[in-house]
């Protein structure tokens, strides 16, 4: 798009504070020493000295594996799991005579399981590699030996290369800014990806390199940079440029960091200093913390329990085996003569019974190894990956406006989403849109702007009034009519409606002269650059912050149109009171005293067409009111009251003021200011600040602006729903307390009947100590005050147990509340409150609070944020959720899950979280049940066969049990099962408490499933052996032999565990039917196919089904009776529990089946809510 408007503006002349000179400090004296040894040969990367230094290339890799280390490193990862090590040892031992089965039957399942897991790891790492490939193959223009710029890939950049970056492109490496499209080498940089800040940063090239503008000028350009070594410090840089025999100090103001973006500037030229993993952003890239779910940690304990069981039954078997073996020879008598104890191997030698028992113990460890589910880990990983795909593809969490779906960046924490007890959230950009809109203003003591903010509506409801508009000295005036508000087209940054001053009607207002000055200040006092499209002639504004763009847009819409700026002038088209037409007015721009965090204000000095010198200023009320002159305070009282109302409404405010300057006063000040500006030394900044203070005084108040950062759509409803799920919600914000409280009400974090506990250090006694300046006394008094306020808050909660409380604490108090001696008491108070708001919180405090809740309260925490300042909090929490909003991708890249809007958190937790938790918990319990059922049938057979070490089943029956005949149904359970529908999950948020209280994975429930497995094994073994023993099985009258008993018992196990699965499932799909009944059918197919193999291969399975079992009615009858008997205990227990001790999901299922769901939901809320409230009240009383 062709644009004009930037012209030959020398921004370095406009800015007084941002474009300061880099002065040589103590650190510059260390150049060349350790830590400051880097040498860069500018525009000469082929210099022999540069080649000798062997700096890293610009290729970046974020993958976990490489082609060379994938197999060894991935194998190491797999064998960090105790169960896998066990199976590996068993596989090696299976080649010895100790093994009760053949080696291939053990190795094959292990290879399949390990291979599947490694394949999954490889696929996930390949996705990361694809992202790296995309980044490394981006193109940038590089100056080559032919003295021209050519396209080159990022990965090919070298230290010393000269590059050209165009507008809206990312910087490919850390570079020294040489020059830009602006004559003085200034450029704007977007650093959202680095620090999360939305305001643009101003970078300034050295004056000596700023004239380098084209290919010809770079022909002879050669220089050296000596600077600090690669480090992670984003906010500092120390270096020196050596050019033409002169030295120039370098600081961060001259450096462009990788992954930041060029904005508002057509192009820049720079020299590469740091490449690839040496860049500051990559030096800051830390491996995300290893997060494990509570279920995973408990699963490890269950594995240890099963190992203990394995050792116990192996020891028991070996003990009885040793006793029996020792008794085989008594004197000269042989008890079991048919075993030839006189000619036995060491494994059965009665003379060495203890050694034989030890070897039998080792055999038992291998034989009963089926108690440990070999396919559990890989099955869980498969299920979690597929669950993540369902999350990613959920249309209800797709945000069409930005084309961003939900994204599970890790699949390891799915079930943890269903156990969140506390949510810790950022506000700006997370609960709000992070886009500023001009909505109200106060001019000459009169409030203008009839729009209603969400916070105002909530505020009015709390006061029992209709939403009211602020006017005069009161916050209460009649609601405007629709005609007054009007309907116009949507304008970005402008949501102001008031017929009194729109469309030129401001000329009829009592203080029209003040209104005119007010909007002139908005149109003139800024650093915005207008861009005029040469085709459409439309003007767009490029600003450092969204606030400034909103002010300029508001001035334009109300008749003061900023159209052009040059180095020395600003042109606006404004509404003329006499002709009622827009006229062009050009103001001479003399100085810009720009905004920074310490000044909290901005001013410009201009000369108007009438030759008057004017200082126009805007800033925070805390610094502006003290700078008003005596005669400039006419509207102060009303303005302060209206600012207070605006703050209550959650709006950001700035005070607008001006003053006229005399020629002599201005000339005297300018001389002082220029001396300070040109001073070379450490005191330069302080001198400039002092000079600015001298001119920014005796101001005349005009009014105040109010801009809104609107709440995202659906935030109040989402928080209401999460509160209904009894999840604690904490907001960690940088806002002041009044604003935070009102936003808390607007988003339903604070509710009508909720009582507030406020902890603050804005107390008279603390303020008095602060004036004295005794830091130790202040700290001691503050700590004691916070301790007392916490104690008082806990007392209130004990007195009113049935009441909900909301805790609000400011930043200063939070510092002391996190002290070692107080933090447990503070946490106890906070966890007994339904909502917590921490005001004026720093990024470090956010992370500390998150750690406190996670570690000390032992609760599952979820942190949600959108900026780089939230990264610490996201990584500290059990689950980090990044909002893919407007503050870059830093939070998303550090998160476990990414969503586009806060409201999607409701579905992520209440639906996907609940389902994933339930599925994984049920899946693990069922896994242990089926393996215990199978493993203990082996043990009972061992006892039946005098602990001989003979397995009950054929080798390949045992190997295929976990891999083929029982694995798919349990995977289907983990992917598809639903106790209730998504709609009912959202309508009945109390259901979520099942996960918070870990109802489905308590030790009682786990041990219950284990007991069920033991009981099923007893029923299967004893019913089968008693049914087949001592009676004819075949037509020829032969009884059932070892092979028939094994097939019958194995068939009963396969049928029983799969039918038990069918009883456990709540939501059947055709896939579950296919997997459950298909697994049973596959067992018979396998038996037929395997049985037809030569007897040397199939051994005991040779044609056993076709010739022996299938023709026998007894086989089918025994299978039917045993399977019904084995599943009856679970069926009976579940029926009793559902009827007499129902869980929350049982209530919902029953009432859903009864119909009339709206009435049912109300009944459910009463029933379950009262039950849960009693539990929570008792818990709170115990804690208190």
């Amino acid at each position: 798009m062709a644009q004009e408007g930037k012209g030959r503006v020398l921004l370095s002349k406009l800015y007084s504070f941002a474009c300061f000179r880099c002065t040589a400090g103590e650190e510059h004296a260390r150049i060349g020493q350790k830590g400051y040894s880097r040498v860069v040969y500018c525009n000469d990367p082929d210099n022999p000295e540069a080649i000798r230094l062997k700096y890293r290339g610009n290729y970046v890799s974020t993958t976990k594996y490489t082609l060379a280390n994938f197999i060894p490193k991935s194998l190491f990862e797999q064998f960090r799991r105790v169960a896998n090590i066990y199976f590996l040892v068993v596989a090696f031992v299976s080649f010895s005579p100790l093994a009760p089965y053949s080696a291939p039957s053990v190795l094959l399942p292990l290879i399949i399981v390990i291979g599947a897991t490694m394949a999954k790891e490889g696929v996930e790492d390949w996705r990361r590699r694809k992202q790296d490939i995309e980044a490394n193959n981006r193109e940038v223009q590089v100056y080559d030996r032919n003295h021209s710029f050519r396209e080159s890939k990022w990965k090919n950049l070298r230290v010393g290369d000269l590059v050209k970056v165009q507008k809206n492109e990312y910087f490919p490496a850390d570079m020294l800014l040489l020059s830009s499209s602006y004559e003085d080498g200034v450029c704007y940089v977007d650093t959202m990806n680095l620090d999360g800040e939305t305001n643009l940063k101003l970078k300034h090239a050295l004056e000596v390199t700023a004239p380098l503008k084209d290919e010809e000028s770079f022909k002879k350009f050669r220089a050296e940079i000596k600077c600090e070594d690669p480090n992670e410090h984003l906010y500092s840089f120390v270096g020196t440029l050596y050019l033409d025999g002169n030295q120039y100090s370098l600081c961060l103001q001259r450096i462009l960091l990788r992954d930041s973006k060029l904005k508002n500037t057509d192009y820049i030229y720079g020299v590469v200093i740091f490449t690839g993993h040496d860049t500051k952003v990559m030096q800051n890239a830390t491996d995300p913390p290893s997060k494990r779910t509570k279920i995973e940690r408990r699963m490890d304990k269950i594995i240890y329990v099963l190992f203990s069981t394995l050792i116990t039954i192996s020891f028991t078997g070996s003990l009885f085996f040793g006793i029996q073996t020792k008794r085989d020879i008594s004197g000269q008598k042989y008890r079991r003569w048919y075993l030839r104890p006189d000619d036995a191997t060491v494994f059965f030698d009665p003379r060495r019974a203890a050694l034989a028992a030890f070897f039998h113990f080792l055999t038992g460890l291998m034989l009963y190894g089926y108690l440990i589910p070999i396919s559990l880990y890989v099955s869980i990983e498969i299920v979690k990956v597929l669950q993540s795909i369902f999350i990613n593809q959920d249309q209800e969490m797709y945000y069409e406006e930005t084309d961003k779906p939900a994204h599970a960046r890790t699949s390891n924490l799915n079930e943890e989403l269903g156990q969140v007890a506390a949510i810790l959230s950022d506000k700006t950009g997370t609960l709000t849109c992070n886009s500023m809109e001009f909505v109200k203003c106060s001019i000459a003591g009169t409030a203008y702007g009839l729009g209603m903010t969400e916070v105002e509506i909530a505020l009015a409801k709390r006061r029992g009034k209709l939403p009211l508009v602020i006017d005069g000295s009161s916050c209460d005036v009649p609601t405007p009519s629709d005609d007054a508000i009007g309907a116009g087209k949507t304008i970005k940054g402008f949501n102001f409606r008031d017929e009194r001053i729109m469309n030129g009607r401001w000329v009829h207002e009592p203080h029209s002269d003040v209104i005119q000055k007010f909007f002139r200040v908005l149109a003139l006092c800024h650093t915005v650059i207008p861009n005029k499209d040469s085709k459409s002639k439309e003007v767009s504004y490029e600003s450092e912050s969204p606030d400034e763009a909103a002010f300029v847009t508001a001035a334009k819409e109300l008749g003061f149109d900023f159209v052009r700026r040059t180095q020395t002038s600003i042109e606006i088209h404004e509404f003329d009171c006499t002709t009622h037409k827009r006229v062009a007015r050009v103001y001479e721009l003399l100085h810009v005293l720009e905004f920074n965090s310490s000044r909290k204000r901005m001013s410009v000095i201009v000369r108007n067409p009438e030759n008057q010198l004017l200082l126009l200023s805007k800033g925070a009320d805390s610094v502006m009111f003290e700078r008003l002159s005596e005669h400039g305070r006419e509207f102060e009282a009303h303005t302060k009251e209206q600012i207070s109302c605006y703050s209550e409404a959650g709006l950001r405010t700035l005070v607008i003021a001006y003053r006229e300057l005399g020629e002599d006063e201005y000339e005297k000040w300018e001389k002082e200011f220029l001396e300070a500006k040109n001073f070379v030394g450490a005191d330069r900044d302080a001198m400039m600040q002092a000079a600015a203070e001298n001119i920014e005084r005796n101001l005349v108040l005009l009014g105040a602006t109010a801009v809104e950062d609107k709440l995202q759509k659906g935030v109040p409803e989402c928080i209401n729903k999460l509160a209904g799920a009894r999840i604690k919600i904490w907001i960690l914000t940088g806002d002041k307390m009044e604003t935070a409280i009102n936003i808390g009400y607007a988003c339903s974090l604070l509710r009508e009947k909720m009582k507030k506990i406020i902890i603050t250090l804005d107390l008279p006694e603390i303020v008095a100590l602060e004036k004295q300046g005794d830091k130790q006394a202040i700290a001691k008094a503050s700590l004691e005050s916070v301790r007392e306020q916490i104690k008082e808050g806990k007392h209130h909660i004990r007195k009113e147990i049935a009441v909900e409380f909301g805790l609000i604490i400011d930043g200063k108090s939070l510092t002391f509340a996190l002290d070692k001696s107080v933090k447990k008491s503070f946490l106890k108070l906070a966890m007994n409150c339904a909502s917590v708001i921490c005001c004026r919180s720093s990024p470090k405090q956010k992370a500390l609070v998150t750690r406190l809740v996670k570690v000390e309260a032992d609760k599952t925490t979820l942190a949600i944020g959108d900026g780089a300042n939230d990264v610490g909090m996201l990584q500290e929490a059990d689950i980090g959720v990044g909002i893919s909003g407007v503050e870059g991708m830093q939070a998303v890249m550090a998160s476990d899950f990414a969503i586009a809007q806060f409201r999607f958190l409701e579905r992520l937790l209440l639906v996907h979280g609940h389902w994933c938790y339930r599925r994984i918990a049920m899946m693990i319990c069922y896994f242990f049940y089926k393996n215990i059922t199978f493993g203990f049938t082996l043990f009972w057979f061992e006892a039946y066969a005098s602990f001989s070490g003979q397995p009950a089943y054929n080798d390949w029956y045992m190997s295929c049990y976990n891999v083929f005949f029982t694995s798919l149904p349990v995977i289907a359970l983990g992917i598809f099962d639903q106790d209730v529908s998504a709609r009912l999950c959202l309508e009945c948020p109390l259901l979520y408490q099942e996960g918070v209280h870990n109802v489905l994975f308590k030790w009682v429930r786990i041990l219950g499933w284990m007991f069920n497995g033991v009981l099923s094994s007893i029923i299967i073994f004893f019913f089968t052996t008693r049914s087949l023993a001592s009676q004819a099985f075949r037509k020829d009258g032969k009884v059932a032999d070892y092979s028939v008993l094994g097939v019958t018992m194995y068939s009963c196990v396969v049928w029983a565990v799969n039918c038990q699965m069918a009883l456990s499932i709540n939501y059947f799909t055709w896939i579950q039917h296919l997997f459950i009944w298909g697994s049973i059918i596959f067992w018979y197919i396998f038996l037929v196919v395997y049985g037809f193999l030569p007897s040397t291969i199939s051994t005991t399975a040779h044609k056993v089904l076709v010739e022996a079992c299938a023709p026998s009615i007894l086989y089918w009858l025994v299978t039917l009776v045993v399977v019904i008997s084995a599943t009856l205990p679970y069926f009976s227990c579940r029926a009793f529990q559902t009827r007499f001790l129902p869980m929350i999901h049982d209530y919902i299922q029953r009432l859903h089946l009864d119909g009339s769901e709206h009435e049912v939901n109300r009944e459910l809320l009463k029933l379950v809510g009262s039950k849960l409230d009693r539990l929570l009240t008792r818990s709170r009383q115990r804690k208190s």
Side-chain angles (χ1 to χ4, degrees), residues 242-520:
Y242 297 85
L243 177 62
D244 297 334
N246 297 314
Q247 297 182 22
Y248 304 92
S249 296
L250 302 177
C251 59
L252 189 66
Q253 201 67 24
R254 320 290 189 206
I255 304 301
L256 307 171
L257 300 182
R258 180 186 172 115
D259 279 353
S260 51
K261 184 189 282 189
L262 184 64
K263 301 286 284 186
N264 295 10
T265 312
D266 293 334
Y267 60 84
I268 64 95
Y269 295 103
V271 171
V272 175
I273 298 177
F274 297 122
T275 50
H277 288 273
D278 287 343
T279 58
K280 289 184 181 286
V281 67
M282 293 306 295
Q283 290 281 311
N284 274 275
T286 56
D287 291 330
S290 178
K291 296 182 179 182
R292 299 189 73 212
T293 66
K294 286 182 170 60
I295 284 183
E296 265 189 71
R297 291 195 289 269
R298 180 160 290 184
M299 193 167 72
D300 288 346
K301 294 175 183 176
I302 299 170
I303 294 290
Y304 294 138
V305 169
L306 291 178
F307 269 121
S308 302
T309 305
L310 170 63
I311 291 168
T312 301
I313 63 174
S314 297
F315 177 78
T316 304
S318 64
L319 181 66
F320 281 105
F321 173 79
I323 293 170
Q324 292 283 7
T325 302
K326 190 174 180 64
R327 290 169 54 193
D328 278 346
I329 298 180
S330 179
Q332 296 298 317
K333 294 181 180 179
Y334 299 157
R335 189 172 64 88
R336 294 187 293 185
W337 54 268
Y338 49 86
L339 296 178
R340 293 297 305 275
D342 58 323
D343 189 27
T345 64
V346 69
F347 303 114
F348 299 97
D349 191 350
R351 300 177 187 84
R352 291 179 287 178
L355 184 60
F358 172 73
F359 284 130
H360 185 276
F361 174 73
L362 297 180
T363 301
L365 289 179
M366 289 186 279
L367 179 62
Y368 306 132
Y370 291 97
L371 289 172
I372 314 298
I374 188 172
S375 59
L376 173 60
Y377 289 110
V378 70
S379 297
I380 288 176
E381 289 189 7
I382 290 170
V383 163
K384 286 185 175 183
V385 168
L386 292 171
Q387 287 175 348
S388 298
I389 291 172
F390 285 157
I391 291 172
N392 296 345
Q393 294 184 347
D394 190 340
Q395 292 294 314
E396 299 295 324
M397 294 195 293
Y398 170 70
Y399 190 46
E400 191 173 359
E401 192 172 312
T402 56
D403 188 30
K404 288 180 180 174
H407 179 45
R409 300 190 69 253
T410 176
S411 59
N412 296 332
L413 304 174
N414 295 353
E415 70 271 27
E416 201 89 324
L417 289 171
Q419 296 185 279
V420 174
I423 295 172
L424 299 101
S425 175
D426 175 41
K427 182 190 77 74
T428 303
T430 304
L431 299 178
T432 62
C433 299
N434 205 13
S435 61
M436 305 304 165
E437 290 186 337
F438 185 92
V439 291
K440 295 179 184 293
C441 60
S442 168
I443 307 173
T446 302
Y448 296 99
L450 305 179
M452 305 304 302
T453 68
E454 288 164 315
V455 179
E456 277 183 288
I457 293 168
L459 193 62
K461 286 178 181 176
R462 279 165 50 212
R463 293 172 175 171
K465 303 174 183 178
L466 290 171
L468 301 178
V469 182
I470 308 165
D471 193 14
S473 60
S474 170
C475 298
D476 306 323
V477 300
T479 305
S481 66
D482 291 339
D483 294 336
I485 295 174
K489 66 176 182 179
T490 303
I491 300 166
K492 185 179 179 182
F494 185 73
N495 191 22
F496 180 88
R497 297 288 181 272
D498 196 323
E499 64 178 356
R500 291 174 292 174
I501 60 172
M502 293 185 74
N503 301 319
R505 295 193 186 99
W506 59 266
V507 297
H508 305 300
E509 286 293 289
H511 296 283
S512 59
D513 58 327
V514 178
I515 295 173
Q516 185 183 52
K517 291 172 183 174
F518 180 90
F519 287 112
R520 278 179 179 169

Side-chain angles (χ1 to χ4, degrees), residues 96-102 362-364 366-368 949-951 953 955 958:
S96 73
L98 288 172
Y101 34 62
S102 62
L362 297 180
T363 301
M366 289 186 279
L367 179 62
Y368 306 132
Q950 175 68 34
Y953 312 116
D955 295 355
M958 294 190 290

